[in-house]
């Protein structure tokens, strides 16, 4: 038996109790192998409902090894999962959709449905973007939102495909606003809403983060030097009971720059002002090079200087399908009670 196959079998064994718990909760989307921490750096194996998504980030996986991994997982779960393999080790992996190693069956690339916390989510092994449509390491955070949204107004910033908004709606939120710059992301969010017609309607707002959040916080929008601002939706100042802030590592627009390493404060300050007194701000940082202790101190100091001191701060870690040998997972989530 190969070293890789041994590592996968060990990972599946370690997840036995977790998988039983997830299945009882109505969840069939989770990570089965986290290669960087389980013996094969640059390799991930994820289940999304009826689909098994294998991705390599450092080196292409040989066909025979890929098929062996697929067989091991299907046997362990007693499920004939549809295999999709994305090799993302090359520089053009975002646009290269060729399959030199393995060509997925047509059924594997169709629009499928996965489940989390009893909710339905759109699953696509291949789509216009690069990443899967549901980030699995954020599952615990979506679960927390679902449990604590009853009667609350919720603002989901950098909403992506609106998983947090969906969880809030399922938790009984009085209003949910999903904000994202990409129309394609919100379109998937609307699909997710349609897959769960029992939930109340949500708002989908396509806008630049800085343009929208500064208006909601009652702050002016200032143009960059010698630069004319593009048009943007006009919004009235508004506060929310629960605000979720999960920005990408880096992005730039005419309104500002998202930089989790050097300038998290510019994202955090208006989000704090948009959170109602006595409300909750959940903020995330997914940069591995940023230490939790340093970032937590920075966040608390920023809130204090802004006059919005934090009454309680809780750290929420990813579930056990995202193990971290040093106890410092890349995704860091803070729940701030204001």
């Amino acid at each position: 038996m190969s070293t890789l196959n041994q590592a996968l079998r060990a990972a599946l064994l370690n997840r036995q109790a977790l998988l039983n718990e997830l299945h009882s909760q109505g969840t069939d989307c989770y990570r089965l192998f986290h290669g960087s921490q389980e013996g094969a750096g640059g390799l991930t194996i994820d289940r999304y409902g009826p689909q098994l998504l294998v991705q390599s980030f450092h080196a292409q996986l040989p066909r025979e090894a890929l098929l062996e991994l697929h067989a091991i997982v299907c046997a362990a779960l007693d499920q004939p999962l549809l295999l999709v393999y994305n090799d993302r080790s090359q520089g053009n992996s975002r646009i290269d959709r060729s399959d030199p190693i393995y060509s997925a069956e047509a059924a594997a690339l169709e629009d499928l449905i996965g489940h989390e916390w009893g909710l339905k989510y759109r699953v696509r092994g291949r789509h216009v973007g690069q990443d899967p449509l549901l980030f699995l390491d954020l599952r615990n955070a979506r679960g927390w939102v679902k449990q604590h949204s009853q009667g609350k107004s919720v603002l989901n910033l950098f909403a992506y495909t609106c998983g947090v908004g969906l969880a809030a709606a399922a938790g009984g939120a009085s209003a949910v606003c999903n904000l994202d710059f990409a129309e394609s992301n919100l379109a998937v969010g609307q699909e997710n809403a349609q897959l769960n017609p029992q939930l109340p309607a949500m708002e989908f707002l396509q806008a630049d983060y800085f343009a929208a959040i500064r208006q909601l916080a009652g702050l002016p929008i200032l143009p960059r030097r010698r630069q004319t601002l593009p048009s943007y939706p006009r919004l009235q100042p508004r506060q929310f009971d629960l605000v979720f802030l999960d920005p990408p590592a880096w992005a730039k627009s005419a309104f500002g720059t998202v930089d989790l390493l050097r300038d998290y404060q510019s994202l955090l300050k208006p989000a704090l002002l948009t959170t109602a007194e006595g409300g909750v701000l959940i903020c995330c940082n997914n940069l591995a090079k940023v230490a939790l202790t340093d970032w937590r101190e920075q966040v608390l100091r920023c809130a204090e200087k802004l006059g919005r001191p934090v009454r309680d701060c809780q750290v929420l870690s990813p579930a056990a399908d995202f193990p971290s040998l040093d106890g410092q997972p890349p995704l860091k989530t803070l729940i701030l009670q204001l």
Side-chain angles (χ1 to χ4, degrees), residues 19 26 43 75 94 104 122 128 137 143 171 186 202 223 249 266 301 320 335:
L19 296 184
L43 179 66
R94 180 176 293 274
R122 172 61 67 217
V128 176
D137 55 352
L186 293 179
M202 298 187 292
S266 66
R301 186 170 60 248
I335 301 174

Side-chain angles (χ1 to χ4, degrees), residues 69-331:
L69 296 179
H70 181 221
I72 290 172
V73 170
C74 290
L77 298 181
D78 193 24
Q79 293 281 339
L81 300 177
L82 298 164
L83 177 61
V84 175
Y85 172 56
N86 291 335
D87 176 27
R88 297 173 59 177
S89 63
Q90 307 301 314
N92 64 342
S93 64
R94 180 176 293 274
I95 57 175
D96 183 6
R97 298 305 184 190
S98 61
D99 290 307
I101 301 302
Y102 175 82
S103 295
E105 299 177 12
L109 298 177
E110 292 179 356
D111 285 358
L112 303 174
I113 296 176
H115 303 81
E116 183 186 87
W117 300 107
L119 299 171
K120 296 179 180 179
Y121 288 89
R122 172 61 67 217
V123 171
R124 291 189 181 100
R126 301 273 175 81
H127 58 97
V128 176
Q130 186 173 21
D131 293 312
L133 299 180
L134 186 69
F135 289 120
L136 301 179
D137 55 352
L138 207 62
R139 182 177 63 248
N140 275 359
R142 287 188 291 268
W144 193 97
V145 169
K146 185 172 183 285
Q147 293 176 351
H148 297 85
S149 297
Q150 181 67 46
K152 296 180 179 178
S153 57
V154 177
L155 175 62
N156 182 21
L157 300 166
F158 298 100
Y160 191 44
T161 57
C162 308
V164 168
L166 202 69
S174 60
V176 178
C177 178
N178 298 288
L179 187 149
D180 199 276
F181 180 72
E183 182 180 3
S184 57
N185 291 345
L186 293 179
V188 177
Q190 290 172 323
E191 284 188 61
N192 287 333
Q194 292 167 3
L195 289 173
N196 297 273
Q198 76 280 9
L199 300 182
M202 298 187 292
E203 180 182 357
F204 300 90
L205 177 58
Q206 183 187 358
D208 179 275
Y209 171 77
F210 291 103
I213 198 66
R214 292 188 68 84
Q215 291 182 85
L216 292 173
L219 300 173
I221 299 177
L222 303 175
R224 292 172 178 265
R225 184 180 301 177
R226 297 186 299 275
Q227 187 170 0
T228 301
L229 291 177
S231 60
Y232 55 90
R234 296 312 200 263
L235 306 173
Q236 294 298 316
R238 180 181 174 190
Q239 288 191 320
F240 295 79
D241 301 316
L242 192 157
V243 175
F244 197 96
L245 175 64
D246 181 24
W250 193 90
K252 186 176 182 179
S253 76
F255 299 94
T257 300
V258 175
D259 188 342
L260 299 198
L261 181 63
R262 301 173 184 84
D263 190 16
Y264 198 93
Q265 296 93 320
S266 66
L267 304 169
L268 183 63
K269 289 178 181 178
L272 283 163
L273 294 175
T274 310
T275 307
E277 189 71 30
V280 176
L281 171 62
I282 304 176
C283 51
C284 304
N285 190 318
N286 57 31
L287 281 185
K289 63 180 67 176
V290 174
L292 171 62
T293 52
D294 295 340
W295 177 60
R296 181 179 182 274
E297 181 181 350
Q298 179 188 70
V299 167
L300 296 179
R301 186 170 60 248
C302 179
E304 187 76 31
K305 291 176 63 176
L306 196 61
R308 300 301 310 276
V310 175
R311 294 185 293 108
D312 183 71
C313 177
Q314 175 187 349
V315 177
L316 186 62
S317 300
D321 51 335
F322 284 82
S324 175
L325 299 179
D326 61 0
Q328 297 290 328
L331 176 63

